[in-house]
Amino acid sequence: MKKILQYLAFINLLDGLLTFFGIRLSLIEEVNPIMDSLYTIEPLLFLSVKAVLSGFLILLSTSINFPPQTKVKVLAKAQLIFIH
């Protein structure tokens, strides 16, 4: 479970950086309305939220011992399947 959360944190941060530069270079648009609003308000706010969320996943991965089958574990695995 720890590796799953750490991987999701890394992917989230990478997504934030690639989205930030993609929008900056006018290569892509943010389709998530919440993240688009954050980027419109302040691009660094957008990056900060992505970093804080990734940090939260890292903190969660190091501070909680999850039982073998929890809803969080199932959701995290589902997210991994969804992004691949």
Side-chain angles (χ1 to χ4, degrees):
M1 183 67 188
K2 292 180 183 202
K3 290 184 185 208
I4 292 171
L5 292 175
Q6 291 168 352
Y7 179 72
L8 287 173
F10 171 75
I11 293 298
N12 183 57
L13 197 54
L14 181 63
D15 172 65
L17 290 170
L18 292 175
T19 302
F20 175 81
F21 287 113
I23 294 171
R24 275 277 210 233
L25 298 172
S26 299
L27 299 173
I28 62 170
E29 294 179 10
E30 177 60 67
V31 294
N32 179 333
I34 295 170
M35 296 310 286
D36 185 50
S37 296
L38 292 175
Y39 189 89
T40 302
I41 293 168
E42 174 60 48
L44 290 179
L45 177 61
F46 169 85
L47 279 178
S48 297
V49 168
K50 291 296 255 185
V52 166
L53 292 173
S54 292
F56 176 72
L57 286 172
I58 295 292
L59 180 66
L60 191 63
S61 75
T62 58
S63 63
I64 297 176
N65 290 325
F66 293 96
Q69 280 298 341
T70 64
K71 289 180 184 177
V72 173
K73 189 172 185 177
V74 171
L75 290 173
K77 284 184 178 182
Q79 180 64 27
L80 285 176
I81 292 167
F82 180 72
I83 61 176
H84 280 99

